Amino acid sequence: MSDDDALRIYRGKRHFDATPEPQGASGPDRGDALSFVVQIHDARRMHFDFRLEVDGVLKSWAVPKGPSAVPRDKRLAVPTEDHPLEYRDFEGLIADGEYGAGTVIVWDEGTYRPLSHDRRGRPVPFGQSLERGHATFRLDGRKLHGEYALTRFHGGGDSSEPEAWLLIKAKEKSAARAGRTAQGGARAADHGSPDPRRARSVRTGRTLRQVADSAGQHDGP
Ligand code: MN
């Protein structure tokens, strides 16, 4: 699939003369490491956007409560259209009346490593894992770390129903890691999910409010 096809839905929803979001140049990757980003989007409904680089685009899920650092917290994740890789850099204000109107901050970013294997222990291409509805991966972000799984529990395949997935942190199995982080895995400060209105951009340290205020003061169309 060409990147143009992959981003057709993304581009069709937006007016690039009216939104500061990237159009998507569908250029080459920045390197071998696969990137992920988690943005907080203060749209009609506040949500987190969880995005993984797969085959040249950002596969995307809207996660209303945000990813949890606590193993076995089940977080609803609803797929949204593929976004261009450059979207991982986007922080700003989408104007009223435009698709996804509201403020976006980059809450976390980093790289990830696919972990899915078949029954014989061979690695499965990540895109294929997602098509099958279950993918495991290790995040190495500034805030999120460790193994997570995305699992489809509704829709997909031949179904015409909308897809729904769960994003779940895996319980750490490694003895070395368990020793370092002690009983329960995550430290107290890592528990649960952040309050989106207090959370700060990993890029600029700003809150949603601060990004919205500065965009309101300085931005033209
Ligand atoms: Mn969003």
Side-chain angles (χ1 to χ4, degrees):
M1 189 194 296
S2 80
D3 289 340
D4 274 1
D5 286 342
L7 295 175
R8 186 173 46 83
I9 298 173
Y10 172 87
R11 291 192 181 114
K13 289 179 171 180
R14 292 171 172 78
H15 302 105
F16 293 103
D17 50 356
T19 178
E21 300 166 288
Q23 190 161 356
S26 55
D29 299 0
R30 290 174 183 173
D32 290 340
L34 296 169
S35 60
F36 83 92
V37 64
V38 182
Q39 284 149 321
I40 301 179
H41 188 180
D42 187 10
R44 200 166 26 155
R45 282 190 186 170
M46 180 79 77
H47 62 274
F48 292 68
D49 285 300
F50 185 82
R51 309 189 198 277
L52 297 170
E53 176 185 353
V54 182
D55 300 333
V57 295
L58 294 173
K59 292 285 174 191
S60 299
W61 291 260
V63 183
K65 284 184 166 178
S68 175
V70 175
R72 295 180 178 160
D73 267 355
K74 296 180 172 67
R75 294 294 193 236
L76 175 67
V78 179
T80 57
E81 76 275 19
D82 294 349
H83 280 50
L85 284 181
E86 299 98 306
Y87 209 93
R88 60 193 160 189
D89 299 324
F90 179 67
E91 186 164 283
L93 182 63
I94 303 169
D96 282 349
E98 294 304 310
Y99 182 76
T103 312
V104 175
I105 61 172
V106 178
W107 178 71
D108 195 17
E109 63 184 350
T111 60
Y112 79 95
R113 193 157 52 87
L115 296 176
S116 296
H117 292 77
D118 67 15
R119 289 193 194 112
R120 295 180 194 170
R122 294 175 305 198
V124 177
F126 199 72
Q128 198 175 312
S129 305
L130 289 175
E131 274 168 32
R132 291 178 185 172
H134 180 67
T136 54
F137 46 94
R138 178 170 291 282
L139 297 179
D140 183 17
R142 303 269 296 276
K143 294 169 180 168
L144 297 177
H145 304 278
E147 188 178 333
Y148 281 77
L150 271 165
T151 306
R152 186 169 56 213
F153 70 93
H154 196 258
D158 297 331
S159 168
S160 58
E161 296 284 307
E163 290 187 21
W165 295 60
L166 292 174
L167 175 65
I168 303 175
K169 174 97 158 57
K171 238 175 118 177
E172 292 290 349
K173 295 168 204 125
S174 149
R177 186 168 289 270
R180 278 207 304 280
T181 56
Q183 178 67 33
R187 294 174 298 276
D190 291 337
H191 270 248
S193 299
D195 173 350
R197 296 195 186 280
R198 290 169 177 267
R200 291 181 181 275
S201 163
V202 72
R203 291 281 182 95
T204 61
R206 295 181 299 173
T207 61
L208 284 165
R209 168 68 68 86
Q210 288 169 328
V211 169
D213 287 350
S214 71
Q217 283 161 19
H218 304 300
D219 267 18

